[in-house]
Amino acid sequence: ALAAALDGVADPLGKGGLITAGRAAAPRASDDGRVSVIIDVSGLSDRQRQALDGAVHAALTRVPGVSEVRIAM
């Protein structure tokens, strides 16, 4: 569910979902609901990075059981 939610976020450069585009690794989850993900933001403007951060947070927090999202860019 986490990978599907993350791949549902569009790559800002139009290459599909974040995982399909190779921009994100599969997210990792702990038993207490914390999710961590690494996003490659090379080639993106600051505005695109901020928008992507918000979109990833929104997508992952909608997954049942997720209590916290940590994003490394």
Side-chain angles (χ1 to χ4, degrees):
L2 292 171
L6 191 57
D7 208 37
V9 177
D11 174 62
L13 300 181
K15 298 178 181 176
L18 294 181
I19 291 179
T20 300
R23 195 165 288 282
R28 295 181 183 214
S30 64
D31 291 337
D32 61 357
R34 288 180 292 169
V35 175
S36 300
V37 64
I38 299 171
I39 308 287
D40 176 5
V41 293
S42 58
L44 301 181
S45 68
D46 287 340
R47 185 172 161 199
Q48 288 172 314
R49 290 175 187 184
Q50 290 173 353
L52 186 57
D53 181 78
V56 169
H57 268 98
L60 293 177
T61 55
R62 284 193 297 267
V63 176
V66 173
S67 61
E68 182 181 347
V69 175
R70 297 177 183 173
I71 300 172
M73 294 186 167

